[in-house]
Amino acid sequence: MVTSRSAAAARPQSVSLRRRGPVLERAILDAALEQLSTVGWGGLTMEGVAAGAQTGKAAVYRRWPSKEDLVEDALRAGLPSLEDAPDHGSVREDLYQLCRRMRTAMYSKPGFALRAVLHECDASTAERFHALIVSGVIEPSVRLFRQVVHRGVERGDVRPDALDDMVFDVIPAMMMYRSKVCGSEWGDADIAEMIDRVMVPLLCPRKG
């Protein structure tokens, strides 16, 4: 005889748990980053995010009334930290390793998501994300470049008169240009060439 208890035990058990609060919010933000990095800004929908987070559309709209609100919070929560500037004993090696770290961030899921926003949004929508990009990407990157270059001045392998605000824009500008406009990736050899042919001559004491 099969009892109701044994029949229930024989049925497959659901492994999903009802998530609430920060756990559910994290799942939704992760799903938004996943959508941005795969289908881009134009393909991201609130319904798709809800499906990716395995929740209902109402749960998404309760927290974020618009796609722009959701993306802003997803980027803010997901942008990787570049941590401290590397110190390998020379400005050349420090810049090389910092650029490799930046490349890793660019090609991470949040990095692809951010690039989707930069590449696909119209001017008015992109303006909404300007402050986030400045505070979360540009300012931390420039801060690390400043640390590397100022440390080079203290060691004597960077000319003091080479310090200029435009100098700190060179590497981010080149990396973004090659990525956004040319659609090319940055291999280790490309990074080394940029450092050796552009940054070292720009920063280091002139021979003779």
Side-chain angles (χ1 to χ4, degrees):
M1 180 179 177
V2 179
T3 65
S4 59
R5 179 176 298 177
S6 61
R11 290 195 296 267
Q13 297 298 305
S14 172
V15 296
S16 63
L17 298 175
R18 183 174 178 83
R19 294 162 301 170
R20 294 184 176 88
V23 175
L24 177 57
E25 291 179 2
R26 180 73 257 181
I28 294 171
L29 294 175
D30 286 345
L33 288 178
E34 178 68 27
Q35 281 238 318
L36 272 175
S37 64
T38 53
V39 301
W41 172 265
L44 183 145
T45 64
M46 302 294 263
E47 293 81 359
V49 171
Q54 299 183 331
T55 189
K57 185 170 64 174
V60 179
Y61 276 108
R62 261 198 312 273
R63 293 163 173 81
W64 296 279
S66 71
K67 172 177 170 176
E68 290 79 6
D69 293 324
L70 173 58
V71 168
E72 184 174 0
D73 280 356
L75 289 174
R76 182 176 289 108
L79 286 176
S81 171
L82 294 173
E83 301 176 345
D84 294 327
D87 187 356
H88 296 277
S90 74
V91 70
R92 190 268 179 198
E93 187 64 20
D94 289 351
L95 288 174
Y96 175 72
Q97 296 299 338
L98 180 54
C99 287
R100 293 180 74 233
R101 196 186 298 176
M102 287 181 61
R103 179 189 61 192
T104 298
M106 285 173 62
Y107 289 96
S108 65
K109 184 188 297 184
F112 277 115
L114 177 61
R115 286 158 62 190
V117 170
L118 291 173
H119 294 188
E120 297 179 38
C121 286
D122 57 37
S124 61
T125 304
E127 182 64 26
R128 171 178 183 143
F129 300 107
H130 177 73
L132 172 63
I133 293 168
V134 169
S135 63
V137 178
I138 297 174
E139 289 179 347
S141 299
V142 171
R143 174 179 57 82
L144 295 184
F145 282 120
R146 285 184 182 277
Q147 289 179 10
V148 166
V149 172
H150 280 281
R151 190 187 299 136
V153 172
E154 294 171 358
R155 280 194 304 252
D157 57 356
V158 171
R159 305 189 321 273
D161 65 345
L163 297 180
D164 185 278
D165 285 344
M166 292 186 68
V167 168
F168 304 114
D169 291 338
V170 172
I171 290 177
M174 288 188 66
M175 294 187 77
M176 287 300 296
Y177 169 77
R178 288 274 294 270
S179 172
K180 181 175 181 178
V181 178
C182 303
S184 60
E185 298 184 4
W186 282 91
D188 287 351
D190 298 313
I191 292 174
E193 185 178 16
M194 175 177 60
I195 300 303
D196 292 334
R197 296 185 60 184
V198 178
M199 298 309 297
V200 168
L202 186 62
L203 294 172
C204 295
R206 299 183 179 95
K207 296 181 180 180

